[in-house]
């Protein structure tokens, strides 16, 4: 029986990558006196690396190989990332990062129908709670049974560790759940944990390979704002609702 929805965050719940994290990274770099600028196109390339600290490390190796080594580079990168998180939370407080279409509606419907909810993401816990509080209110933190985020597992997506952690915390089998993701790495992570996965892609991920996904849609849609189906079956109502998720679930 289908019992739970496990949501990714960045790019799935909201367009956080382009309009949030990217801008916050650039502000953190400026604070540190760095002339690094991650424009929209470059950031799209960097998204192939999951995890903010890992993304900075990759950028240095690939784009700034002559940058002087720091005495404690791990701590230095962690400090940059901490400053970036501060700027990201400020953007959230300013209302600069709204939820994607259909997210609030689907969450409300799922709660009303007794489906269990969880978060499984590679972003930091502060980023998750900041987004939820800014868009759904502080009470929304209690709606999600598990918020699996950040460095609580040794391997980030595309490894399945974060989903395995969430499933174990909820005492659920993969076939009782459905993951909602936006990227190829996210799909690989869900599949690695044995989870069926629905994709809502975005400008950064629409060219990704989503092999193994049950369906690939433009977003979750709204009444009067139907989804665009990239692959898989279309929601009968034109937007993703719980009936559609039940139809996708392996037990259906």
């Amino acid at each position: 029986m289908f019992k739970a929805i496990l949501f990714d965050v960045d790019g799935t719940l909201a367009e956080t990558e382009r309009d949030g994290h990217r801008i916050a990274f650039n502000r953190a770099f400026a604070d540190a006196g760095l002339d690094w600028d991650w424009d929209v196109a470059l950031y799209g390339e960097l998204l192939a690396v999951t995890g903010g600290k890992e993304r900075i490390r990759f950028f240095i190796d690939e784009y700034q190989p002559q940058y002087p080594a720091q005495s404690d580079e791990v701590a230095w990168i962690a400090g940059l990332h901490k400053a970036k998180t501060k700027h990201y939370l400020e953007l959230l407080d300013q209302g600069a990062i709204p939820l994607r279409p259909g997210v609030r509606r689907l969450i409300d419907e799922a709660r009303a129908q007794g489906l269990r909810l969880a978060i499984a993401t590679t972003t930091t816990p502060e980023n998750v709670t900041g987004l939820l509080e800014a868009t759904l209110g502080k009470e929304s933190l209690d709606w999600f049974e598990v918020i699996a985020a950040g460095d609580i597992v040794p391997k980030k997506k595309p490894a399945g560790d974060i989903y395995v952690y969430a499933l174990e915390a909820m005492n659920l089998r993969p076939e009782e759940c459905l993951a909602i993701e936006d990227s190829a790495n996210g799909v690989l992570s869900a599949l690695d944990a044995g989870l069926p996965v629905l994709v809502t892609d975005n400008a950064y991920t629409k060219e990704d390979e989503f092999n193994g996904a049950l369906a690939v849609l433009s977003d979750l849609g709204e009444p009067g704002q139907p989804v665009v189906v990239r692959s898989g079956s279309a929601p009968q109502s034109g937007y993703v609702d719980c009936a559609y998720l039940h139809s996708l679930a392996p037990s259906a």
Side-chain angles (χ1 to χ4, degrees), residues 2 5 105-106 109 113 115 178 180 197-200 213-220 227-250 252:
F2 173 47
I5 307 172
R105 174 190 51 75
L106 181 61
E109 182 186 353
Q113 293 196 13
L115 288 172
L178 184 71
I180 300 182
V197 56
L198 167 67
V199 172
T200 56
L214 299 173
V216 181
L217 310 175
S218 57
D219 50 50
L220 296 176
V227 304
V228 176
V229 180
R230 320 286 196 206
S231 67
S233 63
Q236 189 171 11
S237 61
Y239 54 87
V240 174
D241 54 14
C242 289
Y244 178 67
L245 298 185
H246 278 282
S247 76
L248 292 178

Side-chain angles (χ1 to χ4, degrees), residues 5 7 9 13 92 99 103-108 110-111 115-119 125-148:
I5 307 172
F7 288 95
V9 175
L13 294 184
L92 286 174
L99 294 174
V103 170
R104 175 63 190 257
R105 174 190 51 75
L106 181 61
I107 289 173
D108 287 345
R111 294 183 64 231
L115 288 172
R116 297 163 67 181
L117 303 175
I119 296 287
E126 297 95 329
N127 290 343
V128 179
T129 56
L131 177 66
L132 295 178
E133 290 179 357
T135 57
L136 296 171
K138 289 187 177 181
E139 65 277 9
S140 67
L141 299 182
D142 295 329
W143 302 351
F144 296 89
E145 190 172 328
V146 174
I147 296 180

Side-chain angles (χ1 to χ4, degrees), residues 165-202:
Y165 177 94
L167 290 169
E168 290 177 350
M170 299 174 80
N171 194 29
L172 288 172
R173 300 189 304 274
E175 60 269 22
E176 295 176 311
C177 308
L178 184 71
I180 300 182
E181 278 282 357
D182 74 302
S183 68
N185 278 337
V187 170
L188 290 171
S189 177
L191 294 177
D192 190 46
L195 279 162
V197 56
L198 167 67
V199 172
T200 56
D201 66 12
N202 56 56

